[in-house]
Amino acid sequence: MNEPTGRRTRVAVVFGGRSSEHAISCVTAGSVLRALDRERYDVIPIGIAPDGRWVLEADDPDRHEIKGPDQLPSVDADRSPVTLTRTGSGAGLVVSEPAAPPRELGEVDVVFPLLHGPWGEDGTIQGMLEMAGVRYVGAGVLASAVGMDKAYMKVVLAAAGLPVLPSITVTARDWAGDPEAVRKRVADLGYPAFVKPARGGSSIGIAKAHTADELDAAIDGALRHDPKILVEVAAEGAREVECGVLETLDGGVQTTLPAEIRITGDHEFYDFEAKYLPEEATELDVPADLPDETAAELRALAARAFLAVGCEGLARVDFFLMPDGSLVVNELNTMPGFTPLSMFPRMWAATGLDYPALVDRLVTLALQRGTGLR
């Protein structure tokens, strides 16, 4: 699809959402709003409040920044409600305000869904946009769902011959019905172990259980965010390395130079504070200091993971570089963070694609891709 003639391409940036990653989605949106070329794009910020209401949000990147540990951004649910409506040729946005007739914002050419976590990154909004026949940035329904659910992601990656760490899946029903059986399964897996929501991100709800004494609290904490959790062997002594993947305009796949995250200070792993609070002691090496053959293998594995899950547009693939030099896929993110501290844009910048060009590539890819089966 070519850009519409006679006007700028209209991009609806959708962010916020109902998940526990609401604030991170807002931060990501702020960065994308700042980067979109306003001479080329007509930008409409659409916020989804924590209660699910859609509103016309402020086109103000500064409003969507993290000011401190207790000052996280959020969509203002009291702003004017907005709905996505089907039109003859596509879909449009309509604003509803008290004591005023509905106001049309015009047809939407592409949606940039910057939602992290369930009810957004997991295929739900992608399915809605497919039903409405609206082009959108990023992976489709199935790839988004697989990428969100770490348990099924491991099944898909392992079936494609990609290396993953041993893990077990635990549901709230398992834990309530027979906690002793769960404890035994984890003991058989081995300690230390990471306990994490199966369908979460941004390190929210993740805990490291060093011994059986710490397991119950870790499981209870993860279950507060998701009734399905993953308990995974800890990659002790491993280095955390990442690679960005992006579709090319001719249908190919391109990867970034790898990057490494090194956690210092009081953080034992890459938790929420280490990721998103600038004053925290996290060192990021872009590119990572890796042997050429290791970097080449990592980039090849990242491309294989992208294709195995059926991704489109973009993804960030996270790895563990084990002490013996082997690589293990940790997870794949179909909508990685775009915050100023995020690794995905940093890796692309180091590879030669700066932030505005990266955002433009994603919108262009979405415009040329149709909806429906492909």
Side-chain angles (χ1 to χ4, degrees), residues 141-304:
V141 176
L142 179 61
S144 296
V146 171
M148 187 80 265
D149 191 313
K150 297 177 179 65
Y152 281 107
M153 182 197 306
K154 282 178 172 285
V155 171
V156 172
L157 293 176
L162 291 157
V164 296
L165 289 173
S167 65
I168 63 169
T169 303
V170 178
T171 66
R173 179 180 297 180
D174 296 334
W175 186 235
D178 195 346
E180 195 53 46
V182 172
R183 295 185 188 107
K184 184 179 186 307
R185 291 173 65 202
V186 177
D188 291 342
L189 190 67
Y191 290 98
F194 275 101
V195 182
K196 57 183 76 172
R199 295 161 292 194
S202 299
S203 297
I204 295 172
I206 295 181
K208 185 176 183 180
H210 299 81
T211 65
D213 292 338
E214 299 176 355
L215 179 64
D216 287 20
I219 289 178
D220 289 338
L223 286 173
R224 282 196 287 270
H225 297 276
D226 190 341
K228 178 180 177 181
I229 65 174
L230 196 74
V231 184
E232 182 179 68
V233 169
E236 293 293 89
R239 295 166 63 184
E240 294 190 45
V241 287
E242 303 182 346
C243 185
V245 186
L246 192 65
E247 275 190 293
T248 60
L249 297 177
D250 61 2
V253 174
Q254 182 182 1
T255 60
T256 65
L257 294 169
E260 180 175 7
I261 303 162
R262 290 185 290 112
I263 309 304
T264 59
D266 297 330
H267 299 279
E268 188 175 4
F269 65 96
Y270 199 33
D271 58 14
F272 180 91
E273 287 77 13
K275 281 185 177 181
Y276 297 111
L277 299 183
E279 68 272 14
E280 296 297 328
T282 301
E283 297 179 358
L284 309 175
D285 294 335
V286 187
D289 183 12
L290 298 173
D292 290 345
E293 60 272 18
T294 302
E297 180 186 2
L298 185 147
R299 295 177 76 166
L301 288 173
R304 283 179 57 194

Side-chain angles (χ1 to χ4, degrees), residues 105-156:
L105 296 179
E107 186 173 328
V108 173
D109 299 305
V110 61
V111 170
F112 205 136
L114 296 171
L115 299 162
H116 299 307
W119 306 292
E121 191 181 349
D122 59 352
T124 49
I125 194 170
Q126 290 79 9
M128 184 198 75
L129 295 171
E130 291 282 357
M131 291 285 288
V134 181
R135 288 168 168 81
Y136 56 92
V137 170
V141 176
L142 179 61
S144 296
V146 171
M148 187 80 265
D149 191 313
K150 297 177 179 65
Y152 281 107
M153 182 197 306
K154 282 178 172 285
V155 171
V156 172

